[in-house]
């Protein structure tokens, strides 16, 4: 199920002999297509045109520019080492990345980056994806590099598409056991821009949005990768009877707090990113005895291995998230390839597939319309490994390069217009909490601090106070004294909270504070593997000058008593003031 990164060896591919003579009449076969009839949900991000974009992977040459085709997007992988050009630069200033961005813009294309660096950070590969999020040094190093990319993209001053960590979010969901509140060292990384984010898996996703915001790279279009197998079922190739809607909901609910839904950063991911397949289909058939070829019939049932099933999965995601789709790394094989490894010097070398022909062969106009109606705004083609088919030698039955001639004709004719959609983003409405008259909570702070103390990166003092109370006459007053952004934490040890219960904290948010969020949490002891569970609530969901209720659910299999029960108070700037906690109950 998992994908393997394209080798960073240069992909200069030379066809054998001169290119077959062109057929100029082919360009006239296409006229601009009628606009999409069924408007998809959501909106096209600012900076992207309101039509179906077509682009290619290009590593280090000028084939796209020299092809005389008005391609829209040019993409490349960025992996660990790009900051110093894998040792070829004397300093780690990201000049290699800057050159790609500026060169691509200069050639008239939109630059796109597949940011695939986490896999190569210290601590292991794909199977250690979640484990590495708990290492503060790895998190800081990784996001420091990402910050440089945001700065470089900002300097380009043109739209830049950044597709985040292919399959990474799927690995994260499975390894964190579908829990976006599992511990991750985000604020704990010590990176100042991340100080206001939760120390959770959700915070890992929010860090991308926060750094774009901190740098001011408003021209960057951020895409979150959606893996078709993230729910535990490979919906496009093997789990063909699994109901699509419930599988979509499972993954969406995990990704929503990571940046698909409203959050403390004030922005969300702009597009969804998917890859139909990372190799030509016949490569899998011949080398692994796996059938990954899709039925191209327009009448194929939704329970078949088909383009229809994949398009419906895209549509359900589009409706559920309100986001449009970018499909990338689409295989380039066609029915005329030789089904041999592509060494770069033989015409038609590479493996067969039908995805390029589906979009740009007979019936392609209807297929493009179907996928655009499902939310797709860009088709980006590229081989995911060096042996696969390439657009530089994909000669078709008429002697022409398939993508250059067919996709080229489509683009030269003006392409497929797509409705841009609305740009309105819904804002969550906080629910006010009623004030009862009595307090029988286990932690009511009527007669002292009940063992609660302060820890965290910001100094704070904890006292029992009668100046304000949610119920009864007393509360826990937490005086924060922060010279910079950071986290204050109040907690109590050996808390006898039963497994499966929801713990409620009443929290007074003072007006004018620099608090960007709060996070109640529980941490199990040695018998529970020191498991940490938190539930982040951003400032946009809290009401200043009032009592708010925030909650965290104790895992059903938790071992009690808890090693620690507490509340994190996160600030995004220097601030000193007092917050109150009261009536902690379950």
């Amino acid at each position: 199920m998992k994908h393997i990164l394209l080798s960073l060896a240069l992909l200069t591919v030379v066809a054998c002999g001169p290119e077959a003579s062109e057929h100029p009449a082919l360009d006239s076969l296409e006229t601009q297509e009628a606009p999409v009839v069924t408007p998809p949900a959501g909106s096209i991000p600012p900076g992207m045109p309101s039509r179906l974009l077509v682009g290619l992977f290009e590593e280090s040459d000028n084939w796209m520019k020299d092809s005389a085709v008005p391609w829209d997007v040019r993409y490349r992988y960025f992996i660990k080492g790009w900051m110093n050009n894998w040792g070829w630069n004397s300093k780690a200033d990201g000049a290699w990345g800057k050159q790609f961005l500026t060169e691509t813009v200069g050639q008239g294309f939109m630059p796109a980056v597949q940011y695939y660096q986490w896999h190569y950070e210290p601590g292991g590969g794909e199977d250690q994806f979640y484990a590495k999020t708990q290492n503060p040094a790895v998190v800081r190093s990784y996001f420091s590099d990402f910050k440089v990319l945001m700065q470089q993209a900002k300097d380009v001053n043109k739209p830049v598409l950044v597709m985040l960590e292919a399959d990474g979010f799927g690995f994260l969901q499975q390894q964190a056991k579908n829990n976006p509140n599992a511990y991750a060292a985000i604020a704990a990384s010590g990176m100042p821009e991340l100080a206001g984010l939760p120390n959770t898996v959700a915070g890992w996703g929010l860090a991308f949005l926060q750094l774009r915001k901190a740098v001011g790279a408003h021209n960057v279009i951020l895409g979150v990768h959606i893996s078709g197998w993230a729910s535990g079922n490979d919906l496009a190739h093997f789990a063909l009877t699994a109901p699509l809607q419930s599988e979509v909901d499972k993954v969406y609910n995990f990704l929503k707090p990571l940046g698909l839904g409203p959050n403390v950063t004030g922005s969300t991911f702009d597009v969804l990113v998917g890859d139909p397949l990372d190799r030509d289909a016949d490569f899998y058939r011949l080398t692994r005895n796996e059938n990954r070829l899709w039925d191209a019939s327009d009448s194929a049932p939704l329970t078949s291995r088909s383009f229809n099933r994949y398009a419906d999965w895209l549509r359900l995601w589009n409706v559920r998230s309100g986001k449009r789709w970018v499909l990338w790394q689409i295989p380039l094989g066609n029915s005329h390839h030789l089904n041999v490894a592509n060494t770069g010097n033989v015409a038609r070398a590479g493996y067969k597939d039908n995805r390029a022909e589906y979009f740009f062969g007979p019936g392609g106009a209807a297929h493009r319309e179907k996928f655009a109606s499902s939310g797709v705004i860009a088709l980006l083609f590229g081989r995911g490994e060096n042996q696969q088919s390439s657009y530089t030698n994909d000669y078709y039955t008429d002697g022409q390069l398939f993508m250059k001639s067919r996709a080229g004709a489509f683009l030269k004719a003006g392409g497929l217009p797509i409705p841009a959609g609305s740009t309105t983003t819904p804002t969550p409405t906080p629910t006010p909490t009623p004030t009862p008259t009595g307090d029988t909570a286990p932690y009511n702070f009527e007669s002292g601090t009940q063992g609660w103390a302060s820890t965290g990166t910001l100094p704070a003092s904890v006292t029992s106070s009668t100046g304000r109370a949610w119920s009864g006459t007393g509360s826990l007053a937490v005086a924060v004294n922060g010279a910079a952004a950071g986290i204050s934490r109040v907690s109590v040890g050996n808390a006898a909270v039963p497994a499966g219960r929801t713990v409620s904290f009443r929290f007074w948010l003072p007006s004018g504070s620099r608090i960007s969020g709060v996070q109640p949490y529980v941490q199990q002891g040695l018998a529970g593997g020191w498991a940490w569970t938190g539930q982040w609530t951003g400032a946009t969901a809290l009401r200043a000058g009032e009592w708010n209720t925030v909650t965290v659910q104790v895992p059903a299999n938790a071992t009690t008593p808890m090693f620690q029960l507490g509340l994190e108070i996160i600030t995004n700037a220097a601030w000193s003031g007092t917050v109150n906690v009261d009536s902690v109950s379950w």
Side-chain angles (χ1 to χ4, degrees):
M1 293 191 301
K2 58 188 179 183
H3 296 198
I4 303 173
L5 176 64
L6 173 68
S7 168
L8 285 178
L10 299 183
L11 294 177
T12 303
V13 182
V14 181
C16 180
E19 183 175 326
S21 61
E22 296 280 9
H23 295 269
L26 184 61
D27 290 349
S28 64
L29 294 179
E30 293 276 5
T31 58
Q32 184 176 34
E33 297 175 6
V36 170
V37 175
T38 306
S43 60
I44 295 177
M48 299 186 78
S50 300
R51 56 180 175 81
L52 183 63
L53 307 184
V54 182
L56 301 174
F57 170 88
E58 187 169 65
E59 178 66 21
S60 60
D61 55 27
N62 296 319
W63 187 95
M64 291 177 65
K65 182 186 71 169
D66 295 341
S67 70
V69 172
W71 306 104
D72 295 300
V73 181
R74 182 180 187 238
Y75 80 85
R76 184 176 292 180
Y77 277 91
F78 280 42
I79 71 167
K80 187 72 172 177
W82 72 272
M83 283 285 288
N84 69 346
N85 193 15
W86 297 275
W88 289 98
N89 288 356
S90 59
K91 56 183 179 179
D93 57 2
W96 178 88
K98 185 66 171 288
Q99 179 181 357
F100 167 72
L101 298 177
T102 55
E103 176 184 272
T104 301
V105 168
Q107 293 179 357
F109 310 127
M110 178 189 296
V113 173
Q114 172 51 247
Y115 199 71
Y116 195 77
Q117 181 166 321
W118 191 258
H119 174 83
Y120 294 95
E121 294 288 351
E126 293 172 344
D127 58 342
Q128 296 297 313
F129 201 98
Y130 167 57
K132 290 193 288 188
T133 68
Q134 301 173 67
N135 185 322
V138 170
V139 171
R140 184 182 181 94
S141 172
Y142 174 82
F143 282 112
S144 294
D145 288 358
F146 184 77
K147 179 183 175 181
V148 172
L149 175 60
M150 291 297 97
Q151 292 167 333
Q152 294 176 335
K154 177 185 177 182
D155 292 343
V156 168
N157 201 30
K158 295 286 186 181
V160 176
L161 172 64
V162 178
M163 302 175 287
L164 299 170
E165 293 297 342
D167 284 335
F169 291 86
F171 292 128
L172 197 56
Q173 178 170 2
Q174 292 190 352
Q175 293 167 21
K177 302 187 185 307
N178 301 305
N179 182 11
N181 297 313
Y183 180 76
I186 308 307
S189 70
M191 191 170 180
E193 294 87 351
L194 307 185
L197 297 184
N199 282 314
T200 64
V201 166
W204 187 85
L206 297 178
F208 297 104
L209 300 169
Q210 180 63 23
L211 287 169
R212 177 178 65 174
K213 175 182 176 182
V215 170
H218 306 300
N219 58 314
V220 171
I221 300 158
L222 287 179
V224 56
H225 193 275
I226 312 296
S227 299
W229 47 262
S231 66
N233 290 309
D234 189 337
L235 302 173
H237 300 106
F238 302 113
L240 302 177
T241 59
L244 293 178
Q245 184 65 68
S246 59
E247 299 293 300
V248 167
D249 290 343
K250 181 178 180 180
V251 180
Y252 175 80
N253 289 334
F254 173 78
L255 291 177
K256 183 178 178 181
L258 274 76
L260 269 183
N263 60 78
V264 67
T265 71
S267 66
T268 60
F269 292 119
D270 303 295
V271 293
L272 310 176
V273 179
D275 56 330
L277 193 61
D278 65 335
R279 304 285 190 274
D280 297 317
D282 265 12
F283 174 83
Y284 278 106
R285 181 178 65 84
L286 295 172
T287 65
R288 304 186 189 181
N289 196 31
E290 293 178 2
N291 182 7
R292 292 176 180 262
L293 189 71
W294 286 345
D295 186 344
S297 170
D298 293 329
S299 60
L302 296 183
T303 53
S304 66
R305 185 182 292 108
S306 63
F307 285 90
N308 282 355
R309 179 172 175 82
Y310 190 69
D312 201 51
W313 179 74
L314 298 174
R315 179 188 64 81
L316 293 172
W317 261 103
N318 169 245
V319 172
R320 186 72 173 88
S321 67
K323 305 292 182 184
R324 303 292 181 94
W325 276 99
V326 171
L327 300 185
W328 76 289
Q329 200 167 260
I330 305 171
L332 287 151
N334 62 56
S335 58
H336 203 47
H337 275 97
L338 299 176
N339 266 351
V340 297
N342 188 0
T343 59
N345 56 7
V346 177
R348 299 191 292 123
Y351 295 89
K352 295 181 180 181
D353 202 297
N354 64 349
R355 288 163 175 86
E357 288 169 297
Y358 179 85
F359 289 111
F360 295 109
H367 298 155
R368 294 189 291 268
E369 160 80 21
K370 177 187 296 183
F371 274 66
S373 296
S374 298
V376 175
I377 58 174
L379 300 172
L380 309 183
F381 291 79
R383 52 179 177 169
E385 187 266 346
N386 285 345
Q387 301 178 80
Q388 310 307 307
S389 300
S390 169
Y391 52 79
T392 61
N393 65 347
D394 64 345
Y395 291 100
Y396 207 49
T397 55
D398 59 356
Q400 296 196 69
L401 291 172
F402 182 85
M403 285 297 294
K404 179 180 177 180
S405 60
R406 272 67 179 178
F410 167 75
L411 290 169
K412 290 175 182 178
L416 173 62
I418 301 175
S422 168
T423 58
T424 303
T425 302
T427 302
T429 303
T431 302
T433 304
T435 303
T437 56
D439 195 346
T440 59
Y443 296 105
N444 53 39
F445 310 111
E446 294 296 300
S447 58
T449 62
Q450 294 185 256
W452 287 67
S454 173
T455 59
T457 59
L458 296 182
S461 61
V462 175
T463 59
S464 178
S465 171
T466 57
R468 178 175 286 116
W470 185 83
S471 178
T473 60
S475 67
L476 189 71
V478 183
V480 179
N481 183 20
I487 299 175
S488 294
R489 186 179 296 112
V490 291
S491 62
V492 66
N494 203 38
V497 185
R501 294 291 185 89
T502 297
V503 183
S504 297
F505 291 70
R506 278 73 187 188
F507 173 79
W508 178 273
L509 177 65
S511 300
S513 78
R514 298 309 301 266
I515 294 173
S516 58
V518 294
Q519 180 164 229
Y521 68 92
V522 292
Q523 183 176 15
Q524 300 176 53
L526 177 62
W530 305 105
W532 191 96
T533 303
Q535 179 61 56
W536 166 265
T537 301
T540 56
L542 299 170
R543 293 194 174 189
E546 296 183 18
W547 285 100
N548 298 264
T549 297
V550 292
T551 63
V552 61
Q553 184 169 7
V554 181
N557 62 349
T559 302
T560 59
M562 294 295 117
F563 171 72
Q564 201 172 77
L565 168 67
L567 181 72
E568 291 184 332
I569 303 162
I570 302 97
T571 59
N572 57 15
W575 178 75
S576 296
T578 300
V579 300
N580 294 80
V581 178
D582 199 9
S583 196
V584 181
S585 60
W586 50 87

